[in-house]
Structure formats: structure tokens, C-alpha cells
Amino acid sequence: MLRATLKSLLARKVRLVLSGLAVVLGVMFVSGAFVLTDTLGRSFDTVFSDAYAGTDVGVSAKPKIDVSEMEGMPVAATFPASTLEQVRGVSGVAGATGLAAADGARVIGSNGKVLTSVGPPQIGANWTGESGQVELREGRGPTADNEVAVNAGVAKAAKLAVGDRVGVLTLQPKRDFTVVGIYGYSGDRDSLGGAQEVAFTERVAQELMLGQPGVFSELSVKAADGVDPAKLRDDIAATLGDGYVVKTGEQLSEDASAGLKEGLAFFNNILLGFAGVALFVGIFLILNTFSIIVAQRTKELALLRAIGAGRRQVIGSVLVEAVAIGLVASVLGLGAGIGIGALLAYVFGQTAGGLQLAGLGVPPAAVISSFAVGLVVTVIAAVLPAMRAARIPPVAAMQDVATPDRPLTKISAAGAVVAALGGTLMALGLSGNGGNTLLTILGGVLLSFVGVALLTPLISRPVVGLLGRLFSWSVPGKLGRLNSGRNPRRTAITAAALMVGIALVTGVTVILDSAKSSLTALAEDTIQAELVISGAQTGPRPPSFDPAVLDRAAELPGVAMVAGLYGDRAVIGGKQGWITATSSVPALREIYRATPTAGSIDSLGPGQLLVDSETAKDRGLSVGDTLPVQLSRGDARNYTVSGIYAESELFGGFVVPASAAADFAVPQPTQAYLKLAPGASVDQVMPSVETLLADSPEVSVADRADFIEQQTGQLDGLLTMIQILLALAIVIAVLGIVNTLALSVLERTRELGLLRAIGLRRGQTMRMITVEAVVISVFGALLGVVVGTGLGAAVVRALREDGITDLVLPWTEMGVFLGLAAVVGVVAAVLPAIRAARLNVLGAIAHE
């Protein structure tokens, strides 16, 4: 039986290739994700190992607030320079160097724009001289307060040479410096992991990067010969006490790499999620393929039954074929995934500023997951066709029969139950009552898709018949319509594969368009300012500008009020949260439409704060209460609640005076709102504001409509990214249509020969196949649009209390999806149609 199965499989190589394509693509995504994250992880291991190569022990202070880059901008704590002498006095210390370094030194290039960095930090530090790792390539290190040295990565990106003047943004507004040196790193590297670095004199680095003179952020300690770094670490920790974090260089390297790997793991999970969607779609393709294969092999399987094969052997025969296809597809998918992972790693390295990649490796997880996923998906998809094959009676070997379609009653009832269960899980997840909310929602979506797929055969014949009438004006069109509706199960499964991809894209489009419309309406209703100063945030640090701009803007003719906003993470009353400082407290009423519910919100003195009513209720706060506030810098201090205001959808939380922003992670305003005087126009005032921002290239001024468009435009970028990732699922669905048609042509060889014999021309044969493909494709897209709209509308309804109040149906996108589906049908029909048209008429009529 095994030999017969393998010979049957090898005799139909085209079927083998078509059956495995979906698995190849899905496995490619899975293995590629693991190869990518493994390569990047090892690359960052090397970067941080090199960065701490000259450090046996590192010393830093415990941060005021423990903030991750996903929450805000982490701020390194500082300690006095006297600590350096303490450490140098510890037995076993051969040398110690004080570092005044922090992220946030943004270089202004020769084009007047700030060098951007997506991922790698922009470090400003004190120049500590050349070492075994740092090598001067041109010039010298800075010795005067108006001099800097930059790493070669910055010099190339900003087109700088020794002697050039360069502007740098730090904790303070733009300062101009003379470039006196350009340095690189051992191994002819221009940067470490793409990091942009600017080296100042020690005093300037302390002032601009740490905010105060005479302090350091880290000490790099070198152990004497023969001294164990771990023992030296313990000795230094005992000397300094509990206020410091003391680790070996190896620990520092591992910790820094682990933080980045955590982000890579999140990215890996996203890729695996989309791979899961692709494989889910692939199940429909493989299920349909094996159903057609079983129908084609009816006489062959019946003959095996007639000569003694049992039901289990027949099932085993089909499953062995599935395992063989799964193995081949897993091998090909793993190979393709290695290539895709390497390509994506290269692209990431270039995007990250020239990250030097470690050698390409294939982690065990990539290999194991590839074969596990490939085999499991293929076998699961083949189970139902295998069971159907086992029901073929031996007598079928003696007559020309095909496996008849069974009634749709059971499958429709099962579909209704599964769809209902999926809808229930989605409702529980969206309401927040389903335990693990995300898993509950995803489970609900998965079951909903399965339920709809099971219900699809019930509606396929009438809907496909209706769609087919659009092409029934000719004989090929009528035949194509009849062919697409002759096997509801096959048509439904083929269409369901396309439905999943289209439904997800449509659902996400409904949600994001609804969110965009709702946020736009809220902003237009809430923000009572004609001009807004802001910038696009690309990392943990928000763009900022010179506080002096606020005062100068307030003096411009036509400007009635200016309100600058500062933001930071803080520990407030023992709980971490977001805190805002404003340069104009009256703007809360005038610009944000805040209304007081207790106390006064018209002014804020030192040591006073405002809080919104919801937060006050949750924390049990009232006017006059005092609570401690720890900002990113400085010591904790007590603030008194002087007023409570009604929370709006766009503004809420704790508010402190602008003077408190000096201890924020970013002590400069990140946004400003300008309210114009009656009669003043935006066109008159905007050029003057743009002039004030000449030294603040991270931000720009826009009118309210453009500002709102800029903010909501980020949703468009998110939508584009999701559409690109989901495109793989749609590609697999297209392959499903090609596969179904190709196998269908093989199945109907004799029928096509008879049609050709009675006068159907080659061109008409091709049009018949094309109509069949277009009808199936449009049917799948129509299902996807309807299901996706329903899912999207349900999510929008669940988010009503979170401010998503508008339901927007993307009619244009829906029309585009349907139009593209028709094009997809035409493309998918090309190869099967050519094959059908080239059939030898006499050979086809004689085909068994």
C-alpha cells in the first residue's frame, strides 16, 4: 500500500507542487521570523560585547523612575564626581573612568534637518580619549567647550568634516560647535550598532546631557591583573552602598542585549501571527486540493478496496501522501525562510545605521517549527478528504462514477454553531470579561472564520449563480457560470481562502478609518487653537523646541494666547503614570475646554497640581490633598491638589506648573497651541512662527486641520503595514484558485475534449475557465468584505466608550477589493486556461 501511494504521488508531480505551495509560503514566514530575530539577536550580542569590552565592572546609580522605552524616555540617574575617587580607592581597581553620557544628542545635518534614528540611540558623552576600541581617524578630541568629535557614522550621515560647524540639540536648545575630530571603532567600524555619537568636553557633556555640572552617569572600572571582576564588583558595591547598581561588564552586556531581544521577541510574535494567518488560509487550499485528488482517484481507490485494502489503509494512503507533501514543502519553506530572514536582517541593518550583522545562523526553533508546522497543517487539512476516500465502495472500480456531494444540512448546522461560538468569544473579549482578552478575541475571530467557511457552501450556489449572470451573455460565460456552481463545497472552500485575507484587511480598514474619523471629530471639537507646533515622534524621545519660542510667539501680532505642553512619566502617590506641565494654565479652559469640578483650574502655584475627575475618583483625591511626586530627575517633593477638572477624550491626568518641567526627562516643550485674536488670520501669523522655529528643526507649525491630519495619518501608515503583511495570505488564496482550476481541468479532461469536439474553440475554452475563476474570486472577495465589515463594526461598537464613536465603512476600498478580485481571477485562470485550450481533443475524449 505504501509503495502504491508513493508511486501515485510521484506520477503526479504537478499535483505535488501545487499542493505544497501554500505550506511553503507559510513555513517560509515562520522560519524567516526565527532566522531574522536570531541573526539580529546575535548581532546585538556582539555590539554590546564590544561596547563593554574595556569594562570589567560598571557602576551606575539607581534611576529615579524605572521606565521602559515602550512607555517613555528612560533617564539615567546621576551621582557626584566624588564617587569616582571612592571607586579608585577600592582595592583591586587598576583604573576608573567617569562617563557623562545619555541618549538625546541630535545632530543637525548640512541640510538643516536633524539626523533621524529608528532604533539605535543618539548618544552625547564626554570625550575619554582613544582606547583599544575607539580610534581617531581625523583630527583630535575636543578640549574647548565649543568643540566636539563625532563618530564616523554621524560624519557620513551629516556630511561633516573636521573644521565644520555643526548644531546639536540636547537637554538645551540648539548649540553650535566646531568639529575637531572624527573617530571610529576597531574592526574598521563607523559606529557600534548604528548608534550616533557626539563627544563633548566633560563639563559640557555634564551640562547638556545630564543637566548639571560635576556629575556622572556611569563609571567604567578596569580590574588589576589577577583580580576577579565578580569579586571586584562585590567590593565596590559594599563600598558604595544601596544607592548604586554595580555589575560586571559581562552582566552589562547581557542586560543591554536582553532589553533589545525583548523588543525583537515582540516583533517576532507579530511576524508569527501573520504566518499563522497565512497557514490558516493554506489549510483551505490543501483541503480543497486533497478533496479534488480523492475525487480524481475514485476508481483507483475503489480498485484498491476491491483487491483487499481496508478503510484504514485507504485513510493511511491519503495521509502518507499528505506527510510526503508536508515534508517536501517544509524543506523548501525552511530554505526560503532562511533567505527571507537574511534579506530582512540586511534591510534592518541598513535602516539601523549600518548595523554589522553576525553570521547567518539557523536556530533549532526555525527547523523544528518549520517541520512541525508544515506537517501538522498538511495532515490536518488532509484528514477530511482521507475519511471521504475511505467511504468509496469497491463497486466504484467497475463503473465510471464520481464521489457525489453529500447534503449540506450537517455542515451548515456545524457552521452555525461554530460561528455562534466565535461571536460569543469575540463579544466576551471585547467587553473585557473573557479572561485573557487578546486570546479570547483572537479565538473568537478564528472560530468566526471557520463558522463562516462551513456556512459558505450553503450560499455559494445562489450567490455564484447570481454573479455568473454578469458573464452569461455568451456560451463560454454560461458554461463558466455553471462550472463555478456545480460543486458548492469546492467553490466554497476555494472562496473561503480568499475571504479570510480580504475580511481581515476590510475589518482593520473599518476599525482604523472609524478611529481616524472619531479622533478627527474629537480634536476639531476639543482643540480651540488655530495653530499647533509639534513634530513626528520616531522613538522614545519626543521632538522638542526652545521654551523661548513660547514667549516670543505670545508677543506676535494677532496671537491671543500660547500654551506649551511638557510631558513625562512620574511616580505620583506611589503609582507610575503620565504627568503634564503647561506654560499657560488658563489655556486649559480656553484651548482644551476643560471645566472645573472642584477648586480652581485658573492658576497653579509652586507645589500645586491639577487632576482630572476620573483619576481623582479612582485614587480618592480631593482638593487640598497632598501626595508625593517623583519626576525623572531631582528629588521627590509633595504637591497639593488645588483643582479638579472634567476629563476630555484628548486631555486628562495630572497637570503641574511649567517650572516643574526642569526635572522632566525632556525639559523642553513638545507641543504648543496658539489661539489667534479675533480678525487675525492663520496666513498672517504662521510665517512669523516659522521664523521663530528656525533653530528647532525637529518641529514645525501647522494649522489645526493639518495638525489633526498629521496625527491621524499615523493610522494610515499602520494600515499600509498590515495590508502588506496580509498580502501573503491573499497570495496564498490566489494560488488556491490556480490550484483548484488546474486540478479541475485535469479532472474534467474528457468533458473538455467533448466540448472541443462539438465546436468549442480554444479561445472560448479559455474564456470559460476565466469566467469560472473570476466568479469564484469575486465570490470570495464579496464574502470577505461582508464578514470583515461585520467584524470591524463589532470592534468599533465595543470601543465606543474609548472614544471611537463614528462607524466609517470604506466603500471605496471595498469597491477596489472587488475589482482587484476580478483581476485576480483573470490572472489565476491564465495557466489553467492555457492548459485546457491545448488539450488534444481525441486524447481527451479517450481519457480515463
Side-chain angles (χ1 to χ4, degrees), residues 15-99:
R15 186 177 74 199
L16 173 66
V17 173
L18 292 175
S19 303
L21 274 178
V23 182
V24 169
L25 292 175
V27 169
M28 176 188 72
F29 221 145
V30 173
S31 58
F34 283 111
V35 170
L36 170 64
T37 51
D38 176 75
T39 302
L40 293 181
R42 288 185 294 103
S43 300
F44 284 119
D45 283 342
T46 302
V47 168
F48 289 115
S49 177
D50 289 345
Y52 291 102
T55 301
D56 291 321
V57 176
V59 179
S60 59
K62 292 182 178 179
K64 303 289 184 180
I65 304 176
D66 190 10
V67 178
S68 71
E69 291 192 359
M70 299 296 290
E71 297 174 324
M73 181 179 172
V75 176
T78 60
F79 50 86
S82 58
T83 305
L84 176 59
E85 298 306 319
Q86 278 186 274
V87 171
R88 285 174 174 169
V90 175
S91 176
V93 173
T97 304
L99 301 175

Side-chain angles (χ1 to χ4, degrees), residues 146-150 160-166 177-182:
N146 65 343
E147 296 177 342
V148 294
V150 298
L160 296 174
V162 172
D164 288 348
R165 296 286 288 175
V166 64
F177 297 89
T178 299
V179 178
V180 296
I182 296 174

Side-chain angles (χ1 to χ4, degrees), residues 1 4 299-311 313-314 392-398:
M1 195 69 184
K299 293 186 69 174
E300 175 187 330
L301 295 172
L303 184 60
L304 290 173
R305 290 293 312 282
I307 61 176
R311 290 179 181 270
Q313 288 180 301
V314 172
I392 297 175
V395 71
M398 296 177 246

Side-chain angles (χ1 to χ4, degrees), residues 99-115:
L99 301 175
D103 191 1
R106 293 95 69 207
V107 173
I108 302 175
S110 56
N111 59 358
K113 297 182 180 180
V114 174
L115 295 187

